[in-house]
Amino acid sequence: MHTIKIKSSDLNDSIAVVVPELLPVPAVKGGAVEHWVEETCNRMRIPGRRLALVSRPANITGSEGIQYIGIPWTRAEKWFYKLKEKVTWKNPLRYIAKMQNVASYAIRVARVVRDFDLIYIHNEPNIILFLNKKAGQKIVLHMHNDHLSARAFRPFYRRAIARADKIICVSDCIRQRAISCFPEYTDKFVVVMNSTDPDSFRPYGEMAVKQLNGIISFDPTCQYILYVGRLTEVKGVHVLIEAFRQINARIPSTRLIIAGSSFFSGAAKTAYEQKLVKLAGKVSESIVFTGFLPHDKLRYLYSAADIVVCPSVWEEPFGLVIIEAMSSGTSVVASRVGGIPEVITNGEDGVLVTPNSPDELTNAVCNLLDHPAQKTAMELCGRKKILEAFTWERLVREIESEFKTLL
């Protein structure tokens, strides 16, 4: 891990970093935002700065130089969480339970962050509404998803944005959608694109297969297509399986690996996951569902795969999987949605396809497998792009620069 050279006298002396109410940091239960925060905070430690990380308790020792403030679950919060998990996305009770837990969590967060110079909140704007902002105190909101455009919550979000000093978005797609909802606050929105660690996500060669022994048995005569992410309908995993049935018919040596769960480690099996297993049908023997895998295994899986597919059918905010795959030296086929075209240059360092089109996805994957020289050139170009523009060092510099504008 590289250290960013920053003078503490140029920056806020104390920063409280706050994640949403569900998962802990260190990211022992997974969570893309939580892992992102963990990586970023490890690189924001500098002499003279008090850096605190507020989340649910992880119950492990974190990194030296970071103060971990755990907000324990209450009995009521656990009850509402279980209620939320039992009902469907269309049931209003799910959102009532979510709002109750956000409020309960935020009230206690407000108590522990009141003396910090800067409060850096991730992905949950409503926490801002519970803060007792002091004179001179700054609030930065970092949006990893497109929550701000949700119509039902806009009155709450407008009040939160009014109190925030800056809103960082992970892509221009997210920024533009937010501005369309809150044009009066256009000047508060900025873009800092996501990053990854090319020292961790890199080509591992034969070591990758060895490190995955006991998880997946790789056949050297087969070609492996990989999906990594949440198993939810918006991620388009069903589209990928439909495409794979065609891919496997055209290239019988292909295999599909689906790595992930409905949300995070320990998440309950859903009806959608059962639907995916059923959808596999006659090609089920060529598909492996690994369940949730930690990052220390995913880095080898990216490297061992031949193609990584991101088949999202929604406006994907950014697509961390894409830059992790590119960094690993693996070719990428992804839907042309949301912030993904801001990362991939079609035909140069990846392939973009129309979302919800199994036929187009099939042709893109088969074309890459049928043209290994083109595939290799694309992988080299993708890895080069990550090294030049998508490292954590670049991201932290940009965030610190945004913080500095608030002094």
Side-chain angles (χ1 to χ4, degrees), residues 277-396:
V277 174
K278 186 176 180 180
L279 185 62
K282 294 181 180 179
V283 295
S284 59
E285 292 185 358
S286 296
I287 301 178
V288 177
F289 289 87
T290 70
F292 172 84
L293 290 177
H295 266 75
D296 63 349
K297 292 299 180 184
L298 283 179
R299 58 178 176 166
Y300 297 116
L301 190 53
Y302 281 122
S303 178
D306 293 284
I307 297 175
V308 172
V309 177
C310 182
S312 290
V313 296
W314 70 315
E315 293 298 301
E316 189 77 48
F318 180 88
L320 281 169
V321 167
I322 291 169
I323 58 173
E324 289 171 351
M326 292 168 68
S327 183
S328 300
T330 303
S331 51
V332 180
V333 177
S335 298
R336 189 183 287 104
V337 293
I340 292 177
E342 297 176 42
V343 181
I344 290 179
T345 303
N346 188 35
E348 183 175 313
D349 46 46
V351 179
L352 296 174
V353 297
T354 303
N356 211 12
S357 176
D359 292 344
E360 192 172 334
L361 183 54
T362 296
N363 290 333
V365 170
C366 290
N367 184 61
L368 280 177
L369 294 177
D370 289 339
H371 297 86
Q374 175 187 343
K375 179 174 175 294
T376 298
M378 192 173 291
E379 291 166 348
L380 292 172
C381 190
R383 170 77 177 169
K384 182 172 182 288
K385 174 180 276 190
I386 298 302
L387 291 170
E388 292 177 350
F390 290 92
T391 64
W392 286 113
E393 287 67 38
R394 185 273 308 165
L395 180 144
V396 172

Side-chain angles (χ1 to χ4, degrees), residues 96-132:
I96 293 172
K98 166 75 173 177
M99 291 168 63
Q100 193 282 336
N101 276 1
V102 169
S104 175
Y105 176 78
I107 288 169
R108 287 179 290 157
V109 167
R111 296 180 191 139
V112 300
V113 302
R114 57 190 173 192
D115 294 326
F116 286 83
D117 298 318
L118 187 148
I119 306 172
Y120 185 22
I121 296 175
H122 288 267
N123 232 32
E124 184 43 82
N126 288 318
I127 292 176
I128 298 175
L129 301 178
F130 295 85
L131 301 180
N132 298 313

Side-chain angles (χ1 to χ4, degrees), residues 50-251:
R50 181 189 177 195
L51 180 63
L53 210 161
V54 186
S55 74
R56 295 299 189 183
N59 298 320
I60 67 167
T61 302
S63 300
E64 186 178 350
I66 298 176
Q67 177 188 2
Y68 293 88
I69 302 175
I71 307 294
W73 287 86
T74 66
R75 184 177 298 177
E77 288 171 352
K78 290 179 180 179
W79 188 88
F80 278 104
Y81 173 73
K82 290 178 180 178
L83 172 65
K84 181 172 75 75
E85 290 298 290
K86 288 179 180 178
V87 298
T88 67
W89 290 93
K90 296 180 180 179
N91 192 322
L93 287 176
R94 184 179 184 91
Y95 299 97
I96 293 172
K98 166 75 173 177
M99 291 168 63
Q100 193 282 336
N101 276 1
V102 169
S104 175
Y105 176 78
I107 288 169
R108 287 179 290 157
V109 167
R111 296 180 191 139
V112 300
V113 302
R114 57 190 173 192
D115 294 326
F116 286 83
D117 298 318
L118 187 148
I119 306 172
Y120 185 22
I121 296 175
H122 288 267
N123 232 32
E124 184 43 82
N126 288 318
I127 292 176
I128 298 175
L129 301 178
F130 295 85
L131 301 180
N132 298 313
K133 189 177 182 182
K134 301 187 306 181
Q137 192 175 54
K138 305 298 181 182
I139 298 175
V140 175
L141 174 65
H142 197 126
M143 294 306 302
H144 300 260
N145 295 94
D146 182 31
H147 299 328
L148 293 177
S149 66
R151 187 176 299 274
F153 293 98
R154 285 183 198 172
F156 301 102
Y157 293 161
R158 179 167 274 108
R159 290 174 57 203
I161 291 171
R163 300 189 69 201
D165 296 283
K166 190 178 292 287
I167 301 98
I168 299 174
C169 303
V170 298
S171 64
D172 194 55
C173 169
I174 297 297
R175 186 182 75 90
Q176 292 293 346
R177 288 173 70 89
I179 287 173
S180 70
C181 299
F182 309 102
E184 67 272 33
Y185 296 116
T186 296
D187 292 344
K188 290 189 177 186
F189 291 93
V190 298
V191 175
V192 175
M193 296 187 77
N194 281 329
S195 296
T196 190
D197 183 359
D199 292 332
S200 179
F201 292 98
R202 61 181 175 84
Y204 284 96
E206 291 298 320
M207 184 195 304
V209 173
K210 293 178 181 178
Q211 289 292 332
L212 294 166
N213 185 35
I215 299 175
I216 299 172
S217 297
F218 284 89
D219 184 339
T221 66
C222 293
Q223 296 163 299
Y224 289 86
I225 301 160
L226 173 64
Y227 168 84
V228 174
R230 291 185 292 118
L231 302 188
T232 59
E233 195 159 359
V234 297
K235 291 293 189 177
V237 190
H238 57 287
V239 179
L240 173 56
I241 291 178
E242 289 179 24
F244 180 71
R245 285 163 28 187
Q246 300 179 51
I247 295 167
N248 190 252
R250 286 167 58 171
I251 309 175

